[in-house]
Amino acid sequence: MRDHGGNIDGARSLFGGAPENWIDLSTGINRVPYPIPALSPDAWQALPTQAALASLVDAAKRTYRCETNILPVAGAQAAIQLIPRLFQIGHARVLSPTYNEHAACLLGAGWTVEEVNTVDGLAGADLAIIVNPNNPDGRETSPQRLVDLAQKVGHLVVDESFADARPDLSVVPFMTGVDNLFVLRSFGKFYGLAGLRLGFVLGSADSIATLSAMSGPWPVSGVAIEIGRKALFDDAWAQVTVARLRQEVSQIDRMATAAGWTVIGGTELFRLYDTPNAQDAQSKLAQNHIWSRIFPWSHGLIRLGLPGTVQEWTRLREAMS
């Protein structure tokens, strides 16, 4: 099992407590989710139609300012697992540290994987991977730099799973004519509905057609289609959510600073801090049934998602004080 956040079962096995008493801040999932609308019987009972899938694609194109080809998939993770199998196996480079599934899925597909720590270090790869903004530190790369990088690699994958609140960072509006560029978008993180398993992959017509064939005739569920389509058209909810998250980022950063932690960075959905001892910090929070994310490659770094309710914020403040 690869190291991930969201492993709340492991937290409970170590620290006890009923599931409903835990606050899981180990992921970057919005804890104030999009309200689930009433669903048609067909969403549950019928196979998704091509017309329904097309309507979801239209909603995604509008939201992501997309003029290229787009495929709904069962979360960005599905695309991360499929893309390495699109091409002849070669040498891949991943801008690290980052979400570890990228390197793991490449290795599982037979690729040679090199982790680099600069954007320029990706040049020359047969397949290059960059997460923008990055998980876990929030590192940002401008769209123009990404377009320039695409000319220096065989294929470029830009994972924009945390870009909903930062449309200025998205390379999607610049994809026209860049046939070796893929963009991944996550639905579940920003909309707080990770269990829906919905995401999108954008790319050239040929590549998306191949990925579509690999995904099968029903790549996402009827429930995901109906909820996703409604949420993606709800601009008012998205605007209110972005404003709230930006305000709360400042709030959690102040709490961390007061606790003696150093702010490293992050996004609107998670923050990364340097602590004297991340294991100790995680354990202290876990004793209060708040789960966080630490990393096997760092002694001091801890990542926290943002609480949802007033009660969750109060519990976190008390646990950190």
Side-chain angles (χ1 to χ4, degrees):
M1 180 70 69
R2 290 189 278 270
D3 176 62
H4 289 296
N7 53 337
I8 197 70
D9 289 343
R12 288 183 56 226
S13 69
L14 290 172
F15 296 94
E20 62 270 19
N21 293 332
W22 277 88
I23 304 172
D24 188 2
L25 303 185
S26 67
T27 73
I29 298 167
N30 183 1
R31 290 187 64 82
V32 185
Y34 187 80
I36 296 176
L39 299 173
S40 71
D42 279 351
W44 298 103
Q45 298 170 0
L47 290 171
T49 65
Q50 291 302 305
L53 280 168
S55 69
L56 176 62
V57 167
D58 288 343
K61 285 185 174 182
R62 171 189 173 277
T63 297
Y64 301 142
R65 300 180 296 164
C66 172
E67 298 180 2
T68 188
N69 306 276
I70 186 167
L71 174 70
V73 289
Q77 179 65 36
I80 292 170
Q81 294 175 212
L82 287 173
I83 287 175
R85 304 179 188 278
L86 269 180
F87 313 111
Q88 181 177 349
I89 293 170
H91 184 76
R93 290 180 180 154
V94 180
L95 185 59
S96 297
T98 194
Y99 181 53
N100 62 26
E101 284 292 326
H102 285 288
C105 290
L106 286 161
L107 287 167
W111 288 74
T112 300
V113 178
E114 179 185 0
E115 297 187 357
V116 300
N117 56 20
T118 66
V119 174
D120 291 341
L122 295 168
D126 298 313
L127 178 59
I129 311 288
I130 184 168
V131 180
N132 190 45
N134 189 49
N135 172 16
D137 59 5
R139 177 190 60 231
E140 299 175 2
T141 306
S142 72
Q144 186 57 58
R145 193 171 186 190
L146 293 170
V147 171
D148 293 343
L149 176 64
Q151 312 308 313
K152 303 173 184 177
V153 298
H155 292 89
L156 174 62
V157 175
V158 180
D159 184 344
E160 295 186 351
S161 288
F162 291 100
D164 293 78
R166 292 296 307 276
D168 57 304
L169 289 180
S170 178
V171 75
V172 172
F174 307 93
M175 291 183 69
T176 302
V178 188
D179 290 339
N180 66 333
L181 175 60
F182 294 86
V183 173
L184 312 184
R185 297 296 298 237
S186 168
F187 175 86
K189 294 180 177 64
F190 177 72
Y191 290 93
L193 298 172
L196 200 64
R197 306 312 306 137
L198 177 61
F200 302 93
V201 54
L202 294 69
S204 69
D206 288 346
S207 295
I208 293 301
T210 303
L211 284 172
S212 179
M214 294 167 68
S215 300
W218 306 289
V220 296
S221 70
V223 172
I225 291 171
E226 285 201 10
I227 295 175
R229 182 175 56 207
K230 182 174 178 60
L232 289 168
F233 274 114
D234 196 338
D235 294 339
W237 184 90
Q239 291 167 4
V240 168
T241 297
V242 170
R244 173 183 60 81
L245 291 171
R246 288 178 177 168
Q247 181 181 27
E248 291 177 348
V249 160
S250 298
Q251 181 178 346
I252 196 172
D253 282 353
R254 289 194 298 270
M255 290 165 56
T257 301
W261 299 356
T262 301
V263 180
I264 300 300
T267 71
E268 284 77 5
L269 288 171
F270 63 82
R271 307 303 291 166
L272 185 69
Y273 305 110
D274 193 18
T275 72
N277 186 306
Q279 183 71 62
D280 287 350
Q282 184 184 59
S283 295
K284 179 181 178 182
L285 293 174
Q287 289 163 10
N288 292 273
H289 295 164
I290 298 171
W291 196 228
S292 56
R293 175 82 159 94
I294 61 175
F295 305 91
W297 43 267
S298 172
H299 173 79
L301 294 180
I302 188 169
R303 192 189 70 190
L304 288 177
L306 276 62
T309 64
V310 172
Q311 291 80 7
E312 289 184 357
W313 277 99
T314 299
R315 282 181 57 187
L316 178 62
R317 182 178 294 106
E318 292 174 349
M320 293 175 69
S321 64

